[in-house]
Amino acid sequence: MEKFYLTTPIYYVNDVPHIGHAYTTILADVIKRYKQLRGLRVMFLTGTDEHGQKIERSAARQGLTPQQLADRMVAHFQKLWATLNIEYDAFIRTTDAVHVRGVQKIFSRVMEQGDIYRGEYAGHYCISCENFIPDSVEETADGKRACPDCGRLTDNRVSETCYFFRLSAYGDRLLKFYEENPEFVTPRSRMNEVVSFVKMGLRDLSVTRSTVKWGIPVPGDPQQTIYVWFDALSNYITAIDYLGEGERFHGLWPADLHIMAKDILKYHAVYWPAFLMAAGLPLPRKELIHGWWLKDEKKMSKSSGNVLDPHILLRHFSPDAIRYFLMREASIGADGNFSHEGFISRVNTDLTNDWANLVSRTTGMIEKYFAGEFSGAGLYTER
Amino acid sequence: MERAVLELFDQYQFNRGLELVFDYVNGLNRYIVEAQPWNLAKEETDRPRLAGVLKTLCRAILSVNALLSPILTATTAKVREIFRSGDAGLGWKDLPEEFAIGQGTQLFPRVDRNAFFSEAEPAPAASQGATMQEPKTPETVSPPQGPVVPQADAATKLSAAPQGDAAAQPPAAPPSAAGEGLIEIGDFKKVQMVVARVLAAEKVEKADKLLKLQVDTGDGTRTLVAGIALHYKPEELVNRKIIIVKNLKPAKLRGILSQGMILAASDADNRPYVPFLPEETPIGAILK
């Protein structure tokens, strides 16, 4: 039986699960079940991203250790997935020993190969995105820079010794790969974004931090922890025993499908393939990029207070109704719009009026007209 | 249908695939109306054809069910149970020779709009949506005990034997009104219900559920739009005598001005049952 290995991103435990997490995970579960229906042997991986400065700080605020905070949040995710009938085959946590050691293994391998080197970093750092802000971003009059990912202004400057990944050496190889695999990123508009990003030129990427304690130590240099994206992306291989690199790993890798929202496209379609090339591993076959869920045509965000809580929906709707609405209304590539009115009428119209009604009328007529003497054989067939 | 759906699913275009599936489901609902199993049930000689219609429906339902199974995980398992079908795979299904159906359950109970909105959007007033039979008035926000409740009650009481296939299902419980829900006779009298004869009926283009009716109310003719097309064919209505609400504010539906509404009972699945009055009932007679 042909295998199909699919993944969701691992979710950052700084946040409770919202409708965006639910959508990505339901989409993955629907694809899993569909591929099974088509006769494939599916491995479906999801999990949680638990390291980084944000977790360190939230935990401290709540008087918890980072691990305690992570454990609590993981329970929220797992409970929601069970309620929504998500049947993942593996759940990876970046604090799992197998992950920690797997990340150290790929890190060491890339370093031995020469594409991770020690250097000096000085500049702005966005704590929210755990991201260095490149010097190309213009500084405001009061010495702040806007994070290119989230747009927040920060004057948080760091200067430290750290390890860099030689991303600049991979531009041509990446472009060649995209050219040979034009369907690598779906939909095509997202593929084009990736190509233009790489064509603008790639700079080496800092992959460790010396000021973050809550992370995976660099092998042989425990003062440094591995940068969260290098850590997080590696979950796709550590979860299938990259550490052992035996039959299980080779039977499943490369992944057939990584699913994600558009905001983390760059990490998955540029950095991740480059890391894999440097480690001498095959690249994933396809990445499926979906849009965001808008609430009444506005982007949901914690700051605007319109984040949709799946638990409220679950008090009124069956998991099936939620799964149906999200699959029916979202078009891959575009943002989906969520309104309570749209939700209720979609469910009442399609599922109750049309589908459930068809089933109940048919069974009702069989009971009424044939009362238990309805045989499937030898009947006149209409079509 | 199946091949087109699979092609879309293969490209992860679940929204478009599901659209096709539900077009097909609507087609099956129309097939029931066209085949009129309730008429086939009247004649012994029509029994084989009746069985054929029902068997076709069963097979089609199970095929659709397989396509829906990645999405509706729990309900599609229930449907397989009802039809005692162990086959969860794709394709046009044969039915087992020893075919029997299990106890039906309510697959998707109707969601209580008011309860949902009061939690999901506590602050702003939620708009009351139209039921299937009730033409949506542009003003909306009719209180839950608006015309819907007396309509359903009256229709149930007045109904000549409702036609159709459903085993006696209890009518949908009226939404609980604030307080004890009792009204004054004066409130009831505000609703002018009269007997009308259907002069003409036709489907509304691009609206699966709507029929446009021309009715004679004794003092003139008027146009009504009714959401009953999935269950009634135009020719089933022509020349029949029905009850209409005469003094409802006109509302535009699909560009057609509906002057009033017809009365129908409605079950938990929102299937309408239109009461037809005896031929001798005078047109324009007032219901009170």
Side-chain angles (χ1 to χ4, degrees):
Chain A
M1 225 194 299
E2 203 185 326
K3 67 96 184 175
F4 191 86
Y5 175 29
L6 93 150
T7 69
T8 70
I10 48 174
Y11 302 119
Y12 204 36
V13 294
N14 194 36
D15 201 0
V16 291
H18 55 67
I19 201 79
H21 299 121
Y23 171 65
T24 309
T25 313
I26 288 171
L27 176 62
D29 187 63
V30 167
I31 292 175
K32 169 187 171 162
R33 291 168 192 267
Y34 176 65
K35 292 291 176 185
Q36 282 178 330
L37 203 56
R38 301 306 298 266
L40 277 73
R41 180 172 54 87
V42 182
M43 159 75 183
F44 166 19
L45 172 72
T46 189
T48 43
D49 180 6
E50 305 180 7
H51 291 129
Q53 204 160 3
K54 251 194 291 187
I55 304 296
E56 207 171 71
R57 292 188 179 185
S58 297
R61 264 201 308 276
Q62 298 174 50
L64 299 169
T65 66
Q67 187 67 60
Q68 282 171 327
L69 175 71
D71 289 349
R72 281 188 192 183
M73 297 305 291
V74 166
H76 284 299
F77 280 93
Q78 291 181 335
K79 190 168 164 234
L80 182 62
W81 300 157
T83 311
L84 289 169
N85 292 326
I86 307 289
E87 277 184 356
Y88 51 79
D89 300 289
F91 192 101
I92 182 85
R93 301 180 52 176
T94 56
T95 50
D96 288 343
V98 64
H99 175 77
V100 171
R101 291 171 58 204
V103 170
Q104 289 173 329
K105 176 177 168 179
I106 182 174
F107 190 93
S108 305
R109 182 169 292 184
V110 177
M111 199 152 133
E112 281 156 23
Q113 186 266 114
D115 279 330
I116 287 181
Y117 63 91
R118 226 174 126 96
E120 193 72 31
Y121 175 83
H124 287 75
Y125 184 77
C126 175
I127 294 174
S128 187
C129 299
E130 317 254 1
N131 216 351
F132 291 108
I133 302 171
D135 294 338
S136 55
V137 174
E138 229 167 280
E139 211 170 276
T140 59
D142 53 352
K144 291 182 177 173
R145 282 201 165 102
C147 169
D149 286 341
C150 70
R152 285 190 186 83
L153 283 171
T154 180
D155 56 2
N156 179 43
R157 292 183 67 91
V158 291
S159 168
E160 59 184 60
T161 300
C162 65
Y163 292 80
F164 286 87
F165 173 68
R166 212 179 301 279
L167 184 62
S168 57
Y170 284 87
D172 290 343
R173 286 174 65 185
L174 285 168
L175 288 172
K176 183 161 173 279
F177 170 72
Y178 303 144
E179 202 180 304
E180 286 165 1
N181 300 277
E183 311 262 290
F184 171 58
V185 171
T186 301
R188 189 171 291 264
S189 56
R190 299 285 173 217
M191 182 79 258
N192 297 341
E193 273 174 37
V194 170
V195 171
S196 351
F197 176 79
V198 174
K199 277 187 174 159
M200 282 182 344
L202 297 173
R203 294 151 42 92
D204 288 355
L205 198 66
S206 157
V207 287
T208 66
R209 303 277 281 108
S210 65
T211 51
V212 179
K213 286 185 193 66
W214 182 237
I216 299 176
V218 169
D221 189 351
Q223 291 311 304
Q224 298 269 344
T225 53
I226 295 172
Y227 172 60
V228 284
W229 276 104
F230 194 94
D231 168 358
L233 288 164
S234 304
N235 90 85
Y236 302 132
I237 56 174
T238 61
I240 55 168
D241 193 26
Y242 170 64
L243 193 59
E245 230 176 322
E247 207 175 304
R248 175 167 162 78
F249 179 73
H250 292 296
L252 285 168
W253 192 256
D256 295 272
L257 191 65
H258 289 319
I259 301 173
M260 76 209 69
K262 60 188 178 184
D263 49 339
I264 50 176
L265 170 63
K266 181 176 74 183
Y267 301 99
H268 281 81
V270 181
Y271 300 172
W272 179 229
F275 295 160
L276 289 167
M277 284 175 181
L281 292 171
L283 307 194
R285 298 215 165 94
K286 198 187 253 307
E287 299 188 346
L288 180 64
I289 320 301
H290 64 75
W292 283 321
W293 276 92
L294 308 178
K295 172 78 175 68
D296 301 322
E297 309 289 347
K298 288 189 210 78
K299 183 177 179 334
M300 288 184 217
S301 68
K302 254 180 156 173
S303 50
S304 44
N306 64 344
V307 174
L308 203 67
D309 178 358
H311 298 94
I312 293 184
L313 293 178
L314 277 166
R315 277 201 284 279
H316 297 270
F317 294 89
S318 62
D320 274 7
I322 295 171
R323 294 168 63 101
Y324 176 74
F325 176 84
L326 294 177
M327 291 302 109
R328 178 67 184 79
E329 291 292 316
S331 151
I332 297 291
D335 291 336
N337 183 47
F338 189 99
S339 72
H340 290 122
E341 184 58 47
F343 192 93
I344 202 166
S345 50
R346 179 57 81 191
V347 170
N348 277 350
T349 305
D350 291 2
L351 298 182
T352 308
N353 289 353
D354 296 345
W355 173 237
N357 191 32
L358 173 67
V359 174
S360 74
R361 289 172 86 190
T362 303
T363 54
M365 286 190 283
I366 291 172
E367 270 167 30
K368 185 171 173 189
Y369 301 136
F370 289 90
E373 291 175 39
F374 192 69
S375 156
L379 288 171
Y380 171 80
T381 305
E382 277 275 303
R383 294 180 183 175
Chain B
M1 187 271 300
E2 184 178 275
R3 188 182 302 170
V5 172
L6 295 182
E7 256 171 44
L8 289 165
F9 282 9
D10 280 339
Q11 297 160 33
Y12 308 122
Q13 304 211 21
F14 293 100
N15 59 329
R16 294 180 56 202
L18 287 171
E19 197 178 331
L20 293 187
V21 172
F22 275 84
D23 283 348
Y24 185 74
V25 167
N26 272 323
L28 292 172
N29 277 318
R30 277 195 301 274
Y31 169 68
I32 295 179
V33 176
E34 280 158 23
Q36 303 193 24
W38 44 91
N39 283 334
L40 296 177
K42 288 177 190 159
E43 296 292 336
E44 197 52 41
T45 50
D46 283 336
R47 298 281 291 180
R49 193 171 134 73
L50 174 62
V53 168
L54 294 177
K55 187 181 166 186
T56 302
L57 283 168
C58 291
R59 298 175 73 187
I61 285 171
L62 287 172
S63 317
V64 168
N65 200 53
L67 287 171
L68 290 174
S69 64
I71 296 121
L72 306 178
T73 55
T75 20
T76 51
K78 261 194 230 168
V79 168
R80 279 199 305 276
E81 222 170 88
I82 292 171
F83 289 91
R84 308 262 163 87
S85 167
D87 176 9
L90 292 165
W92 190 247
K93 301 281 185 295
D94 275 322
L95 299 175
E97 278 200 24
E98 294 298 316
F99 179 74
I101 54 163
Q103 201 58 44
T105 45
Q106 180 116 30
L107 296 179
F108 286 99
R110 180 162 298 276
V111 172
D112 183 337
R113 179 178 287 270
N114 294 329
F116 173 54
F117 272 99
S118 66
E119 184 177 10
E121 295 183 7
S127 70
Q128 167 80 7
T131 68
M132 238 170 117
Q133 291 93 308
E134 178 194 25
K136 198 170 187 169
T137 55
E139 296 79 23
T140 57
V141 202
S142 52
Q145 72 275 40
V148 186
V149 177
Q151 167 203 349
D153 281 357
T156 318
K157 278 188 211 135
L158 289 165
S159 64
Q163 296 210 341
D165 48 69
Q169 288 184 13
S176 59
E180 71 278 28
L182 299 178
I183 60 167
E184 300 293 334
I185 183 77
D187 292 331
F188 178 71
K189 282 184 173 166
K190 287 180 194 161
V191 185
Q192 288 178 17
M193 289 183 281
V194 301
V195 176
R197 178 197 290 282
V198 180
L199 300 173
E202 61 180 278
K203 292 200 139 190
V204 175
E205 262 185 49
K206 290 180 193 157
D208 284 350
K209 292 175 181 162
L210 298 183
L211 284 184
K212 177 180 160 190
L213 307 177
Q214 202 67 35
V215 301
D216 178 359
T217 52
D219 56 356
T221 64
R222 55 173 76 199
T223 304
L224 304 177
V225 178
I228 56 173
L230 289 181
H231 303 89
Y232 289 91
K233 294 169 83 166
E235 55 270 30
E236 287 179 82
L237 295 164
V238 173
N239 265 331
R240 307 296 293 268
K241 286 180 177 167
I242 59 170
I243 303 163
I244 71 157
V245 177
K246 219 176 150 185
N247 60 338
L248 195 70
K249 278 189 186 167
K252 259 198 176 169
L253 286 167
R254 292 275 165 170
I256 303 163
L257 193 68
S258 182
Q259 303 159 294
M261 71 177 190
I262 79 164
L263 246 57
S266 168
D267 66 16
D269 292 326
N270 231 1
R271 182 200 193 293
Y273 301 86
V274 177
F276 297 117
L277 297 173
E279 189 43 44
E280 60 272 22
T281 323
I283 294 171
I286 296 165
L287 283 99
K288 51 186 182 183

